[in-house]
Amino acid sequence: MPGPHTTTPAQSEPSSDPGAVPRRRWWRTNAARAGCVAAVPGLGLLEPRLGGVMLIVALVVLWRRNPWPKAAKAVATVAAAGLLAAIVPDSPGQAARDTAAEAKADGKTRPHGATTAPPTTGSPEATMPPVSDYRGQNLEEAHGKAGKDGFVVKSHDASEKDKFIRGRAPWTVCFQETGRLGARPVLDFGVVPKGAPCPKEDGAPIPWPTMPELVWKTWQTARAEVIALGVRADHVEARKTYRNDTLPDEGKYDDWRVCAHDPAEGGKVQGDSRVTLYLSSTDNGCPAPDRATGTAIDLPDRDDDGDPDYRDPFPGDRNRTTAFPDGVPHLGDSNGSSSSGGSSGGSHGHGRSVCPRTRWC
């Protein structure tokens, strides 16, 4: 008699080959390590801080769980740091100090903007390449051209602020000076922000223009003077002087007069400044200086309907305005018009006002 039948569950096959090598993550491959080291100088050219961050990433990839010998790791670390140091620009003012030290070593001083004459020796190491005049050019373009001419190019802020030069595109060359770094010719640019005027000398303040007195000049005249200072045309704004006045459509206030402006007379006007001109028609004039400036006071408005008397066709009728010459509409009016006369608001035809508790009704 056969015994009880037992079913043995089938063993599942292994999911992978026991002899297969585990797959490494991509950032632990030699290609990733080499790529991180190569990316350090590339990002450093765009932005020194990015290069520094990439150097830290490269160090982590090189030393964390890396089967390389310690000597290979050290060589790769030194290479990455050296590549970053080679392309990072000098700190602010360092180029000027280097040039001054070289001039003292030669027993002479050179004024800013001057170029040294080529040495008389015939040694190839002492030959100074021809120097072009890069003043007025964008730093990005001047840097590339001078580099192709064989110079080690440096740059510094030519103003008294001595800012760090971050990126080359937003800077303009004002001064240039040659020097040497060992046997290598150096060209140092003194630069200012794009759109700024050059200082009288390297290291002096930027001579930004100041705001002239524009009060009682027409909008067209005042706007032209502001634009002539270097302000963008779309950065010059017209506003009403009186709070309850209305500025006409563009082109219809060309003969209106300036009553105040911001910045005021004597204020610095930089390239990115915005200038506001407060205007009034010649009929109304400007507020007295001791009353207010800008939009702080109102024009006379006897019926207090929001329309100043000078342009209100019904200055004594609060119910009729420029916008509603036939009267402000009220709910309940049969023809949507109000009763004539000097009404001071309220309901018409026993209807309900469409704008209760406002100055319009």
Side-chain angles (χ1 to χ4, degrees), residues 8 73 75 84:
T8 303
K73 296 178 183 178
V75 170
L84 180 61

Side-chain angles (χ1 to χ4, degrees), residues 126-346:
T127 301
M128 179 69 68
V131 183
S132 301
D133 188 357
Y134 297 103
R135 290 173 296 180
Q137 296 187 24
N138 179 266
L139 178 59
E140 185 76 39
E141 299 176 1
H143 190 283
K145 294 177 182 178
K148 290 180 181 179
D149 289 342
F151 286 97
V152 176
V153 184
K154 298 183 179 181
S155 57
H156 66 276
D157 185 358
S159 74
E160 84 286 6
K161 296 183 178 180
D162 201 20
K163 293 181 179 179
F164 181 74
I165 306 300
R166 180 176 291 108
R168 303 188 187 107
W171 298 88
T172 302
V173 177
C174 284
F175 307 97
Q176 61 184 59
E177 188 173 7
T178 57
R180 290 194 174 279
L181 184 61
R184 304 169 66 188
V186 176
L187 186 56
D188 182 23
F189 290 132
V191 298
V192 296
K194 185 178 180 181
C198 291
K200 293 183 178 180
E201 60 181 12
D202 202 342
I206 295 178
W208 291 109
T210 56
M211 194 73 172
E213 178 59 80
L214 301 175
V215 172
W216 205 240
K217 293 185 178 181
T218 64
W219 157 253
Q220 280 190 322
T221 301
R223 180 175 181 270
E225 290 189 23
V226 172
I227 294 175
L229 297 176
V231 179
R232 290 171 44 182
D234 59 342
H235 281 190
V236 185
E237 182 182 6
R239 291 188 183 180
K240 60 186 181 181
T241 294
Y242 294 97
R243 183 167 45 193
N244 62 341
D245 203 0
T246 301
L247 203 65
D249 294 335
E250 186 174 357
K252 296 184 179 180
Y253 51 82
D254 291 345
D255 60 344
W256 280 37
R257 302 286 178 155
V258 177
C259 291
H261 47 84
D262 183 23
E265 180 185 9
K268 289 185 177 181
V269 180
Q270 302 182 7
D272 58 349
S273 296
R274 291 183 176 272
V275 176
T276 303
L277 304 179
Y278 295 93
L279 308 178
S280 175
S281 69
T282 55
D283 295 336
N284 296 319
C286 294
D290 59 344
R291 293 182 65 189
T293 58
T295 55
I297 64 174
D298 294 332
L299 288 169
D301 183 10
R302 285 177 291 172
D303 54 10
D304 194 28
D305 62 354
D307 268 350
D309 290 344
Y310 85 95
R311 61 181 179 87
D312 190 349
F314 313 100
D317 188 348
R318 187 167 181 253
N319 190 58
R320 291 190 292 175
T321 66
T322 304
F324 301 102
D326 295 330
V328 178
H330 296 76
L331 295 179
D333 286 348
S334 59
N335 55 2
S337 63
S338 66
S339 61
S340 61
S343 171
S344 60

Side-chain angles (χ1 to χ4, degrees), residues 14-21:
S15 58
S16 61
D17 186 359
V21 178

Side-chain angles (χ1 to χ4, degrees), residues 90 93-104 110 154 180-181:
D90 290 337
Q94 184 62 40
R97 291 192 291 270
D98 292 344
T99 305
E102 292 165 5
K104 290 181 181 179
R110 296 187 299 272
K154 298 183 179 181
R180 290 194 174 279
L181 184 61

